[in-house]
């Protein structure tokens, strides 16, 4: 009787000991850009390249539907998000238009809002809603280093660019530093400009917050209470004594704040 050959040959053992090579990993394909993002990208690039300029009318929803072969709902979403980003404006029954760039105000210095607006070739107007003497709240007293209930000056103004409100200025002034504040004619010289021209200061503090407006603030700024705002709170001092604290509320879709400056801290013209 012949013996059966063993399967445990050296070659077979070597094959079993050699690890099997795994198939090389294949990178997953990058996800395709969503259809509404393609529309947004198309419009944004046209604006960036200057093909469509501020005030130009964009193709209608129907034209974009036909051009891209997508649904009206997708086009509508793209246009709606571009409105939220401030790139375009939509007028009911008229169409969509390229929005003007939001004006930018400096953070390093006390900006002259009237001059900034006029330099852009736009009309400026300041509506003075109140100039009064009131008792300081706890918050105002702390900001001006006064006692709660102590008398302070208060002014409230709406600043407009081409008739549209761009800033609600709510200011409190230390009467020890500016005793003649309430006696001024602010229809000729806005409160901020009056203070800069007539009350020397040596320190400025700027703090910026993103906030939602109150119903009253939204009404004064002619905006929706669902739209966010930029709140710039500014304080100034002279020799360590507070002069004024002002809260400047800007609709975020109409205004932005920023600065460019050199390493030594001086602003770039």
């Amino acid at each position: 009787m012949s013996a059966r050959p063993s399967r445990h040959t050296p070659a077979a053992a070597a094959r079993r000991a050699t690890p099997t090579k795994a198939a090389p990993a294949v990178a997953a394909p990058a996800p395709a850009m969503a259809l509404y993002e393609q529309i947004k990208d198309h419009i944004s690039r046209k604006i960036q390249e200057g093909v469509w300029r501020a005030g130009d009318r964009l193709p209608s929803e129907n034209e974009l539907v036909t051009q891209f072969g997508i649904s009206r709902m997708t086009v509508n979403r793209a246009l709606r998000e571009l409105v939220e980003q401030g790139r375009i404006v939509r007028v009911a029954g008229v169409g969509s238009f390229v929005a003007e760039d939001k004006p930018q105000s400096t953070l390093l210095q006390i900006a002259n809002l009237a001059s900034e607006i006029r330099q852009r070739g736009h009309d400026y107007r300041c509506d003075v809603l109140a100039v009064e003497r009131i008792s300081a709240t706890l918050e105002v007293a702390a900001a001006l280093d006064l006692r709660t209930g102590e008398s302070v000056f208060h002014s409230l103004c709406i600043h407009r660019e081409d008739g549209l409100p761009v800033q609600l200025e709510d200011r409190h002034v230390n009467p020890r530093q500016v005793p003649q504040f309430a006696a001024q004619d602010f229809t000729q010289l806005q409160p901020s400009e009056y203070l800069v021209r007539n009350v020397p200061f040596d320190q400025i503090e700027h703090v910026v917050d993103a906030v939602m407006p109150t119903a009253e603030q939204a009404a004064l700024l002619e905006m929706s209470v669902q739209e966010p705002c930029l709140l710039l709170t500014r304080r100034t001092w002279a020799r360590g004594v507070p002069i004024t604290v002002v809260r400047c509320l800007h609709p975020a879709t109409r205004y932005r704040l920023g600065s460019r400056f050199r390493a030594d801290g001086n602003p770039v013209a």
Side-chain angles (χ1 to χ4, degrees), residues 133-189:
R133 195 155 188 161
I134 63 173
S135 298
T137 63
L138 177 62
E139 181 183 12
V140 171
L144 295 178
D145 197 18
L146 300 172
R147 295 188 304 275
T148 302
E150 195 168 342
S151 178
V152 297
F153 292 124
H154 173 246
S155 64
L156 188 67
C157 305
I158 293 286
H159 299 273
R160 297 177 180 269
E161 182 168 358
D162 288 340
L164 189 67
V166 292
Q167 184 189 97
L168 173 62
E169 175 191 319
D170 190 356
R171 179 182 300 276
H172 293 86
V173 179
N174 186 345
R176 300 176 188 173
Q177 295 283 68
V178 198
Q180 299 302 314
F181 180 81
Q184 306 309 308
D185 181 3
F186 291 126
T187 61
Q188 302 299 317
L189 195 66

Side-chain angles (χ1 to χ4, degrees), residues 4-17:
R4 297 178 62 186
S6 172
R7 294 181 181 178
H8 300 285
T9 63
R15 284 196 300 271
R16 288 194 298 272

Side-chain angles (χ1 to χ4, degrees), residues 250-265:
H250 309 84
T253 57
R254 303 175 195 166
Y255 221 71
R256 61 184 176 186
L257 299 163
S259 298
R260 179 182 175 187
F261 54 94
R262 295 194 294 267
D264 60 6

Side-chain angles (χ1 to χ4, degrees), residues 63-81:
E63 289 171 332
L64 291 171
V65 166
T66 301
Q67 179 181 348
F68 288 90
I70 57 180
S71 70
R72 189 183 186 94
M73 183 181 299
T74 300
V75 171
N76 186 272
R77 176 176 176 178
L79 296 178
R80 187 173 67 250
E81 291 196 5

Side-chain angles (χ1 to χ4, degrees), residues 105-111 204-208 232 257-259:
S105 185
T106 181
L107 281 174
L108 285 181
Q109 300 174 316
I110 296 180
I204 310 171
E205 176 188 74
H206 281 160
V207 177
V208 179
L232 170 64
L257 299 163
S259 298

